[in-house]
Amino acid sequence: MKKRIGVQFRKTRKTKHAFERIQACKRCHTYHVLWDTHCETCGRAYTPVREVSAAVTRRYVQTRFLLLGLFVCLAILCATTLTEIAIAIGVGLLFVCLFFVIQKKYGSYEKDAQLQTFFSQEEEALKKSFLYHLEQVGADVKAGQIKEAYEKTREIGYFVDSDTIKIRKIMFLNHFVLRKDMELELETLIPSTYDKDFMEYLREVVKVQPSLVKKAVLDYVRRYKAQILLLENGEQLIGQVAGAALRMRAYVEEYQDLIIEFIDYLPRERLLRLAKMIRDHRNENWEQLYHFVKNRVDTHFAFDPDFKGVL
């Protein structure tokens, strides 16, 4: 068995959008998604990418405003009478006010649109930065710094959704002792095909943070059930995953087949929870599930006081 090491992961930043994690060095024209605050090349402080994009948008707005001002000035210069000058000034002020109102009302939409354009224009520079970060990960692995390698790959994973990144993170995570207090991920690591390392990681996660088992994980286990059963204690693993599904009534409804098939491998506390759920939802379409649960309880927990009178 692989010897696992105890670690304390660096806290990852919480952001509403993934792009808010990107920072830019204006001097080197490079991007950064890790936790450093200053560019390692020139030492300049990083700037959040939204600020960089907003500055570009602001220049566009200023340019349009200047052009509008030039047209107004040109109209005034072309006027030959006081009336024409007054009209030119009045119309010019009206246009300036309209421009200001429109900009104030719809400026935020323009910023968002400009941000998309900005990312399209900077796609190659962003790719180079991600590749550089991956090179740093490779150097960390060679140096035996697995924790740093995982933390960097985790940050890259917010932008690169591929099996290569997922499997790398899984392999790194399988080096560590997992704990309840850790900031672990599960759904974001599900590969597109069956992966034995992912199942090893899932086995550990379901022990310490069963709440991470959600629909995507249950679908994965159901899809690759045959391969999982070939693993050592594969039945027990599926039973633990099925037990984790008992947190939500909707999961019990959808994955009855998995629960029934591996009911013999449900942990005692999970079976007790399931028995209480069935008692409280006797009007649901759970007749078959009720039969299997009652048979399991009567056979193995008939004298257990916690189960007495539940079903």
Side-chain angles (χ1 to χ4, degrees), residues 182-193:
M182 280 182 164
E183 189 177 0
L184 299 176
E185 51 183 325
L186 187 57
E187 276 192 303
T188 53
L189 297 178
I190 299 175
S192 59
T193 58

Side-chain angles (χ1 to χ4, degrees), residues 16-78:
K16 186 177 181 180
H17 304 287
F19 71 79
E20 293 173 348
R21 312 177 79 83
I22 305 175
Q23 300 190 84
C25 176
K26 294 181 180 179
R27 183 176 296 167
C28 299
H29 193 208
T30 56
Y31 296 93
H32 187 81
V33 299
L34 302 181
W35 41 83
D36 298 321
T37 58
H38 290 73
C39 177
E40 65 177 28
T41 303
C42 68
R44 183 169 182 167
Y46 286 120
T47 304
V49 71
R50 185 183 274 283
E51 289 185 21
V52 178
S53 176
V56 175
T57 305
R58 192 160 51 248
R59 285 197 294 270
Y60 287 157
V61 174
Q62 290 169 349
T63 300
R64 289 197 295 268
F65 186 80
L66 287 173
L67 287 173
L68 179 59
L70 287 173
F71 281 122
V72 173
C73 291
L74 184 61
I76 294 171
L77 290 173
C78 292

